[in-house]
Amino acid sequence: MTEETQETKQEVKKAGFSISTPVAIIVAGLFIAGAVIYANKTPQQPAPNGGQQQLSAKEVQKILTVRDDDYILGNPDAPVTFFEFGDFECPFCAKFHAEAWQDIVANYVDTGKVRVIWRHFPLNSIHPLAQPAAEASECAGEQGKFWEYHDGVYETPSLTASALISVGQDIGLDMNAFQACLEAGTYSQKVADDFDLGRKVNVTGTPTFFINGNPIIGALPFSDFEPVIEQELR
């Protein structure tokens, strides 16, 4: 960490989080500086895994397990588990959440048939805000608002460092606690662990999904997800 970054953090601690423009600028600077550091510390965009052996759905399910610290969307005991490996700065992830995601939630999550679990897969070499956004979502999760933050980020037309703060304000986070969590880097290792987990199940890009272990890759329409989910419900 550079001396400049240390000084910026001290300014943020003194100012705290408020809606004022000067603080927003300071916090935005903190995110941008942090993004550069994270890009050097965390895994970069993966190379294609063309030479890796294809895993069966059962093999994937043994690797992708539900954890105590997961933020589960939907019925925790739903018969179908829907994992998404995503990047908050990925335009294809945003496309999925603006389109197919809405139908999946309405038809399967809200009806108790599917539970959704998120795994972070930030492509830091091309998305400098992906890692900070991932950590910010986890900090929001500390306050019981992971999915609200998740939705807020994807509903933001153009993701910027200041938008990561604005989303937290918009969903009513305790901004002092949010700030402290971000500055401490509390979830940097968790995000890195998710990335490593993705590599174990041959994830090479985002978004990538596993429906009871069955892979679906890309921002595909609802019609591509529906038959896979229906098959698993039989």
Side-chain angles (χ1 to χ4, degrees):
M1 183 175 292
T2 66
E3 184 176 355
E4 180 180 354
T5 304
Q6 289 280 19
E7 290 173 355
T8 303
K9 283 194 173 185
Q10 290 300 322
E11 290 180 40
V12 174
K13 287 180 181 178
K14 292 176 183 177
F17 275 86
S18 70
I19 305 178
S20 66
T21 301
V23 174
I25 293 172
I26 291 171
V27 174
L30 173 61
F31 266 112
I32 293 170
V36 174
I37 294 169
Y38 292 137
N40 291 327
K41 287 185 175 181
T42 55
Q44 302 299 300
Q45 183 182 16
N49 286 348
Q52 291 193 4
Q53 181 179 357
Q54 186 71 29
L55 299 174
S56 69
K58 288 185 177 180
E59 289 173 322
V60 170
Q61 286 180 301
K62 289 180 181 179
I63 298 171
L64 293 184
T65 58
V66 181
R67 306 184 303 224
D68 291 339
D69 62 350
D70 280 328
Y71 302 110
I72 298 175
L73 183 67
N75 173 15
D77 299 316
V80 175
T81 302
F82 184 109
F83 279 98
E84 177 181 356
F85 282 85
D87 172 321
F88 282 113
E89 200 176 356
C90 162
F92 297 106
C93 298
K95 174 179 171 60
F96 164 76
H97 283 86
E99 298 174 0
W101 169 252
Q102 308 301 321
D103 289 324
I104 292 170
V105 170
N107 288 280
Y108 295 110
V109 178
D110 289 347
T111 57
K113 299 175 182 177
V114 170
R115 60 179 179 176
V116 179
I117 300 171
W118 175 271
R119 290 286 180 264
H120 299 287
F121 203 78
L123 303 178
N124 296 316
S125 63
I126 56 175
H127 297 152
L129 290 177
Q131 177 82 21
E135 294 190 34
S137 71
E138 291 290 336
C139 290
E142 276 192 357
Q143 300 184 38
K145 294 190 175 183
F146 172 85
W147 288 105
E148 289 89 338
Y149 193 89
H150 164 281
D151 291 346
V153 170
Y154 280 127
E155 289 166 6
T156 301
S158 179
L159 189 62
T160 62
S162 60
L164 296 179
I165 302 304
S166 298
V167 170
Q169 293 171 329
D170 291 344
I171 64 174
L173 294 181
D174 176 334
M175 296 306 289
N176 288 326
F178 185 61
Q179 169 194 333
C181 177
L182 290 171
E183 290 183 6
T186 306
Y187 293 102
S188 60
Q189 188 58 53
K190 180 178 181 180
V191 173
D193 289 344
D194 276 3
F195 188 98
D196 290 341
L197 185 66
R199 297 305 304 275
K200 290 180 181 178
V201 291
N202 297 339
V203 174
T204 61
T206 56
T208 295
F209 313 92
F210 293 93
I211 301 173
N212 279 0
N214 298 288
I216 293 182
I217 301 172
L220 301 179
F222 174 66
S223 58
D224 284 73
F225 291 90
E226 186 176 25
V228 181
I229 295 173
E230 288 293 337
Q231 177 64 38
E232 293 303 313
L233 288 171
R234 292 173 188 164

